[in-house]
Amino acid sequence: MKEKVLNQGVQAAAPGSHSGDLPEFDERIRRALHAAAEKKALEPTVLDLRGIASFTDFFVITTGTNRRQVQAISDEVVEQLKRAGTRAARVEGYGTAEWILIDYGDFILHVFDEKARRFYDLERLWREAKRVDISPEQLRSLRAE
């Protein structure tokens, strides 16, 4: 099987590690990460599923500390991407706000509360995926753009 990387030869960081520069993600993924960071989302991670899943290319995973924050993160991402011309195909789980899934086709944003993120542990379930944990420094560089 051909090895696939994020974009332009950027290798993903090992689980739990952080690379110095933010990989050259698609602008919509960068915008989603920025929007989530604006609402103080925790532990942003991107899983590169190209080559192992046919339904999407990336999972963007983040965490909120409570129901209101999980919904606020979701709302901000949807709003910023809509303003940039990208509408979500569907949003699921908004009412309970334990796990909100926002489907953009080639990437899916998962916004979890802390308990649900530990329970569902998508990073473990999709451990074959290349994983990029986004550091606080990388998030600050997104805000500066």
Side-chain angles (χ1 to χ4, degrees), residues 10 29 33 58 63 71 86 91 98 101 104 115 118 123 125-126 128 132 134:
V10 177
I29 291 174
L33 287 166
F58 296 95
T63 304
Q71 289 174 330
T86 302
V91 177
E98 291 176 358
L101 180 148
Y104 285 100
K115 184 178 176 184
R118 284 190 310 273
E123 293 92 337
L125 288 172
W126 291 93
E128 294 142 22
V132 179
I134 310 299

Side-chain angles (χ1 to χ4, degrees), residues 16-83:
S17 69
H18 304 288
S19 59
D21 296 321
L22 191 63
E24 293 298 318
F25 290 123
D26 176 280
E27 178 59 31
R28 293 166 307 130
I29 291 174
R30 295 172 69 83
R31 192 176 298 271
L33 287 166
H34 174 265
E38 290 293 309
K39 295 300 178 181
K40 310 276 191 256
L42 304 173
E43 303 175 59
T45 299
V46 178
L47 300 180
D48 183 348
L49 301 173
R50 294 175 293 181
I52 59 175
S54 60
F55 60 92
T56 194
D57 292 337
F58 296 95
F59 278 173
V60 177
I61 305 168
T62 191
T63 304
T65 58
N66 58 57
R67 177 184 173 157
R68 287 172 60 177
Q69 185 187 20
V70 169
Q71 289 174 330
I73 293 165
S74 168
D75 291 342
E76 187 69 15
V77 171
V78 168
E79 181 59 32
Q80 284 197 28
L81 286 174
K82 188 192 309 183
R83 271 191 261 131

